[in-house]
């Protein structure tokens, strides 16, 4: 009898261990907002509540920040596709060389014509999960690694990782089991169900997979959320760990009113376009709230990581925005497309699982390619050989409290050898930069000139220190770091030679 | 020691039983071809090899027939959506009352204008998985039942179960975990990758989720097959039972050459359009071959049921077909849209799992709503309450050899109170019919007249027996059966009153 009990005990123990292991595999959600600026929230990422923080309403982001860690010095790249490729692959823009947004159709570099420079030889077809596709960055996406390790992987919303005619344009070829509305396009033809999201027009940006909502008074953000939650039902019911990449098309233009919130902002005195923009923000935040409520309802919130991030700074061109251009991310300078902080500094909040750090703020600079190794750490998946080198560094240490908040000495690189918009404006086109510690050095390829800013003393990058004697050693060091890295990466740089 | 061994034995036994149960759950594939006629194959469903059987090349269908059971008297409805709704719900057209094809956009009945009859009050918005949607048939689809019971459910290709603006237009709301290219449309804008499947045009029929293949020399049938096989990887790797509903857009018009096979048929002397059609058939058969090869490669073919079926008879209107109209399904009369055999008799082959019947032909009449209970039997899933009554009868008995091949006495019903095409032509518009045993009675609502055919002696329905004395009792019986069933179903019938 004793022996039998002992034997039974061992069996029960083994069963329990395997059950615990099964439970331990956490779920992971990336909640990616398009074109959301650092100030497009009621949660202050700056040290003080800004004017914009007082305008916008994002209670669920505030809630999320209380549940996890808010990164106040988080970076993406200045535009969409480069950031999305970095997130999915762990590569810095200098490595993947998808340095601008990708066209919906392949072999169509998106740069503007320029008198001084030719279109550089960048990977204008985007990311590819297989080698040998011309003008693509070959890499294994995190979604594929997670799928290969038993994760149920879902993409919903904007994809925009590659141009059509290549495998990277297809979420089903990037390791996603479910794809909802993900294509090679970077914006919707319309956000409105009443307009069928523009799908029944000649505009190629009509949103796919959204027929159920045609003709209805529903905003795309809401429809995508409903579909994403529907897709979660199978893994949740069958206790499969899941990875949800929810990429909202909001806040990308066309700016269109989310009628649930629009009137409120008009009443607050905002102009029409700004009220539209504010309503899109609140609709996005409502989606986040719905995700949180779903996780709470199914009692899986303690076992689910959430990464909230934007792919670049808030759009600050007028039109489509109203008001003074380049001011919509104030106190940051400029906006989407710019190498200034308004173009690259983004909201980032990461909520961990049970036992992780809560309600903390981290000032250490982090960058979007860090998300890849962070997710790997979260999933505890071991991977062997990858085609790409991982430039990112896991932020998991901040969540489990092992890594300290400090100024950090890691250099973060930004690189735009492209002409994104017609006018160089406020930090657009042909710029590279490195941030290290408090300082940021910007290189202007057109003028072969530099700018240097102390971001703690001068978050608005108004005070160019490049000629200041006391910081010459820092300027020299950063110039060296930046050019060495650009050179070693073999990344394209602006060039007069017409390349083919 | 003895006791411990005994205990260990019990544990091992329990583990083995559960493993066996896990293995026992078979996979199920519905391979649905659009507008494929009874003769559009080199496999003879008739008792002799026909002229058409000699033209077309479908070696994989021949292979499939050897692996399972070929049904020589299998029926769908005359057009697309009614058949698809019947398959997914187990309901006869008289019950679901989706009596015609559904428009891509809701609240737009598709009937032609007529001087005698108004548009009937049919469920012109199609199938709905939830109650309360106007003009829909509320039912729980087999895909939902399978998903709820642990099946990994995939839809690829043509869906066309409902109009946009309703949940039935969204495969994700019909119990499918994966959706590839399934929308409210019933045909593609183009079959050609080179033409981006028409997706970048104003034609709403541009195919969704196919960007990877844009610009490539690939036919839609091939691209859908590649995507469907990609979707199978997750359930196969993770040993989840799967349900794949592969609904090819082929052979629907627009007739477009599949260049892998087109020249061959031209060389055989076929006209251009007929060579295109033949090439589409062979491309479809190649897809079937690829599916079989995948199942063999992964050693799951013995545990996978395959149901090969078409949604209606082959199109026999000229144009788009060449030659004499209403002859393309000969020896059957007429084609798609018609109540004659050419419009409703379809190829049906069902391959069972290990131990099931192989290489047998069944002449007993069966109908598309039988697929629903057949799949339920295959999956061994028990369901409780369903909103719909199941009209179909499982064909599983033919696969396990328990049910005998006989003429059967079950009446099968067909009902078209709609005007599908401009001319009543050869069996189109405002017709109902019942087949029972050897006989088929057709009721012509416009003329209030009947036709009666003996389908064994007269498969071409050339010899109307309605006035023949010897069969008056049969005519009377069939009239009674047909009208009683129509009446009890409360199905719409042609009416002069304008209905709203």
């Amino acid at each position: 009898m004793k022996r039998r009990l002992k034997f039974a005990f061992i069996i029960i123990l083994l069963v329990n261990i395997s059950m615990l292991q099964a439970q331990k595999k956490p779920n992971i959600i990336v909640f990616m907002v398009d074109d959301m600026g650092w100030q497009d929230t009621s949660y202050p990422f700056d040290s003080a509540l800004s004017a914009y923080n007082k305008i916008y309403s994002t209670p669920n982001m505030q809630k999320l920040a209380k549940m996890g860690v808010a990164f106040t010095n988080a970076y993406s790249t200045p535009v969409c596709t480069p950031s999305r490729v970095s997130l999915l692959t762990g590569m810095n823009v200098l490595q993947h060389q998808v340095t601008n947004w990708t066209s919906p159709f392949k072999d169509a570099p998106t740069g503007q014509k320029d008198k001084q420079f030719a279109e550089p030889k960048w990977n204008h077809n985007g990311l590819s999960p297989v080698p040998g596709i011309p003008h693509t960055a070959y890499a294994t996406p995190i979604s594929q690694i997670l799928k290969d390790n038993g994760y149920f992987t879902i993409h919903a919303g904007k994809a925009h990782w590659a141009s059509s005619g290549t495998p990277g344009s297809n979420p089903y070829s990037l390791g996603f089991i479910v794809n909802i509305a993900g294509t090679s396009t970077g914006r919707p033809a319309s956000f409105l169900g009443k307009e069928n999201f523009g799908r029944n027009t000649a505009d190629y940006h009509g949103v796919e997979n959204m027929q159920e909502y045609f003709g209805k008074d529903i905003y795309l953000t809401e429809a995508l959320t409903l579909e994403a939650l529907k897709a979660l039902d199978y893994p949740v019911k069958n206790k499969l760990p899941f990875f949800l990449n929810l990429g909202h098309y909001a806040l990308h233009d066309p700016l269109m009113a989310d009628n649930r919130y629009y009137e409120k902002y008009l009443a607050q005195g905002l102009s029409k376009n700004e009220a539209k923009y504010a309503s899109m923000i609140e609709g996005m935040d409502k989606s986040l709230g719905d995700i949180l409520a779903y996780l709470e309802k199914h009692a899986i919130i303690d076992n689910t990581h959430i990464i909230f991030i934007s792919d670049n700074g808030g759009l600050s061109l007028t039109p489509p925005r109203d008001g003074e251009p380049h001011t919509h991310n104030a106190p940051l300078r400029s906006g989407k497309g710019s190498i200034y902080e308004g173009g690259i500094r983004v909201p980032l909040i990461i909520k961990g699982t049970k036992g992780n750090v809560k309600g903390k703020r981290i000032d250490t600079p982090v960058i979007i390619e860090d998300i890849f190794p962070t997710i790997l750490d979260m999933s505890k998946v071991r991977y062997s050989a990858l085609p790409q080198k991982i430039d990112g560094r896991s932020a998991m240490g901040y969540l489990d409290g092992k890594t300290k908040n400090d100024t950090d000495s890691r250099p973060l690189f930004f690189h735009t050898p492209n002409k994104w918009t017609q006018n160089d404006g406020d930090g657009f086109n042909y710029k590279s930069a490195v941030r290290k510690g408090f300082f940021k050095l910007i290189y202007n390829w057109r003028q072969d000139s530099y700018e240097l800013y102390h971001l703690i003393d001068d978050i608005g990058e108004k005070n160019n220190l490049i000629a200041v004697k006391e910081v010459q050693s820092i300027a020299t060091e950063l110039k060296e770091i930046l050019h060495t890295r650009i050179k070693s990466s073999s990344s394209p740089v602006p060039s007069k030679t017409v390349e083919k």
Side-chain angles (χ1 to χ4, degrees), chain A:
Chain A
M1 189 61 188
K2 220 175 180 183
R3 269 186 175 162
R4 194 202 287 188
L5 276 177
K6 197 174 161 190
F7 191 78
F9 176 77
I10 291 166
I11 295 288
I12 289 163
L13 194 74
L14 287 170
V15 167
N16 279 353
I17 286 169
S18 82
M19 275 173 70
L20 277 169
Q21 281 178 329
Q23 279 181 339
K24 257 184 196 167
K25 216 154 204 179
N27 309 307
I28 299 162
I29 296 176
V30 170
F31 190 101
M32 160 81 82
V33 189
D34 203 28
D35 290 0
M36 181 187 180
W38 198 57
Q39 292 294 317
D40 296 341
T41 166
S42 52
Y43 176 82
F45 282 91
D46 199 3
S47 51
L49 212 65
S50 71
Y52 286 123
N53 293 151
K54 289 172 192 164
I55 292 173
Y56 302 127
S57 176
T58 61
N60 293 296
M61 281 183 70
Q62 292 175 246
K63 181 177 171 184
L64 190 69
K66 279 187 196 152
M67 299 166 89
V69 176
F71 293 83
T72 62
N73 283 255
Y75 291 95
S76 287
T77 79
V79 290
C80 169
T81 314
S83 289
R84 286 161 197 265
V85 174
S86 288
L87 189 151
L88 224 58
T89 67
M91 294 192 280
N92 180 261
V93 66
L94 282 165
Q95 190 193 165
H96 65 57
Q97 299 170 16
V98 183
T99 54
N100 202 357
W101 63 282
T102 47
S103 162
F105 297 97
K106 78 168 176 177
D107 299 334
T110 50
Q112 306 275 335
K113 278 224 180 297
D114 191 72
K115 284 179 184 170
Q116 185 180 4
F117 295 124
E119 181 79 21
K121 216 171 173 176
W122 60 292
N123 281 325
H124 56 252
N125 286 330
L127 166 66
S128 175
V130 294
I133 310 291
H135 309 298
T136 61
Y138 166 44
T140 300
I142 189 70
S143 34
Q144 185 66 53
I145 295 171
L146 292 175
K147 180 185 171 193
D148 289 346
N149 285 278
Y151 269 79
F152 190 91
T153 53
I154 302 163
H155 171 76
K158 173 168 166 174
H160 204 190
W161 285 294
S163 299
S164 63
T166 75
S169 65
N170 183 1
Y172 287 133
S173 290
L174 292 171
F176 289 103
I177 293 168
V178 177
N179 171 36
I180 299 155
T183 70
S184 67
T185 59
R187 63 169 177 84
S190 167
F191 281 97
L192 306 182
K194 287 253 183 226
E195 295 180 357
N196 301 348
F197 311 108
R199 179 61 184 84
N200 61 326
T201 67
D203 186 343
Y204 183 67
H205 295 82
V207 186
E208 298 190 349
N209 305 134
M210 286 287 125
Q211 296 204 319
E212 179 167 348
Y213 307 97
F214 280 16
K216 295 193 192 305
D217 185 14
I218 190 169
Y219 207 79
L220 180 55
T221 309
E222 178 80 9
L224 285 173
T225 308
L226 291 173
E227 289 300 297
L229 293 179
K230 202 186 289 171
L232 283 181
D233 276 348
Y234 183 82
V236 168
K237 190 182 169 196
N238 293 281
K239 302 199 190 309
L240 300 164
F242 63 77
F243 171 58
L244 167 63
N245 186 66
L246 177 50
H248 278 300
Y249 279 98
L251 322 170
H252 203 292
D253 74 310
L255 304 188
M256 299 179 92
D258 186 332
N259 282 326
R260 296 171 294 178
Y261 312 107
Y262 179 55
E263 295 292 337
K264 183 176 95 177
Y265 292 102
L266 282 181
Q268 284 180 24
L270 266 61
S271 69
K272 277 187 183 174
N273 282 328
E274 292 306 302
K276 284 176 188 170
Y277 192 77
S279 76
M280 291 169 82
I281 291 173
E282 191 162 348
M284 171 282 293
D285 185 77
K286 195 261 182 186
S287 166
L288 177 63
D290 291 346
I291 300 286
L292 292 174
Y294 179 93
L295 299 174
E296 280 159 0
K297 182 182 153 198
H298 289 87
I300 50 174
I301 194 150
D302 281 344
N303 196 36
T304 303
H305 292 278
I306 302 177
I307 299 165
F308 181 105
I309 194 169
S310 170
D311 61 346
N312 47 249
L315 186 67
S316 194
L317 298 176
T318 56
R321 299 293 298 269
D322 287 335
E324 192 67 28
H326 318 314
T327 65
H328 297 81
N329 300 286
L332 305 186
R333 181 171 173 182
S334 199
K336 178 182 181 181
S338 176
I339 204 89
Y340 291 123
E341 294 288 295
I344 57 178
R345 204 188 285 206
V346 292
L348 172 64
I349 302 170
I350 306 183
K351 183 200 96 63
T353 55
K354 198 167 187 168
N356 282 157
V357 169
K358 282 183 182 181
K360 199 168 172 186
R361 289 165 70 93
I362 293 290
D363 300 326
T364 313
V366 294
I367 187 163
I368 192 158
E369 55 261 31
D370 295 346
I371 303 296
F372 180 105
T374 303
I375 291 175
L376 272 184
D377 269 3
M378 288 169 170
S379 67
K380 296 187 180 64
V381 161
R382 308 267 164 180
Y383 63 99
S384 47
L386 288 177
Q388 73 269 34
K389 186 184 148 291
I390 304 305
D391 295 312
R393 203 162 69 179
S394 173
M396 202 51 216
Y398 299 111
L399 287 169
D400 57 26
K402 284 177 192 156
T403 307
K404 282 186 182 170
N405 191 3
D406 58 36
T407 54
D408 201 25
S409 61
R410 175 176 62 144
L412 304 181
F413 297 99
F414 306 90
H415 184 56
T416 304
N418 309 73
K419 187 170 182 177
W420 176 66
T421 188
Q422 201 49 51
N423 299 312
D424 288 1
D426 205 24
F428 308 129
N429 310 332
Y430 309 121
K431 305 281 190 309
S432 296
V434 57
R435 170 163 183 185
K436 186 164 182 288
F438 302 143
F439 287 94
K440 176 174 164 190
L441 179 89
I442 298 172
Y443 178 57
N444 183 325
W445 291 86
R446 196 189 286 292
Q447 298 168 358
D448 189 23
S449 64
Y450 294 92
E451 294 164 58
L452 182 71
Y453 299 102
H454 188 291
L455 292 176
I456 311 304
D457 296 346
D458 177 25
I459 198 171
E461 295 168 288
K462 289 172 183 164
N463 193 13
N464 183 0
L465 305 174
I466 198 69
V468 175
K469 221 177 185 180
E470 287 77 4
V471 292
Q472 283 314 300
S473 66
I474 286 163
T476 306
E477 183 202 348
L478 291 181
K479 285 179 191 176
E480 169 75 18
I481 288 173
L482 179 60
H483 288 291
T484 302
R485 181 76 182 91
I486 291 172
K487 211 168 183 185
S488 73
S489 74
S490 309
S491 187
V493 297
S495 159
K496 286 181 190 176
T497 317
V498 177
E499 303 194 56
K500 296 218 173 175

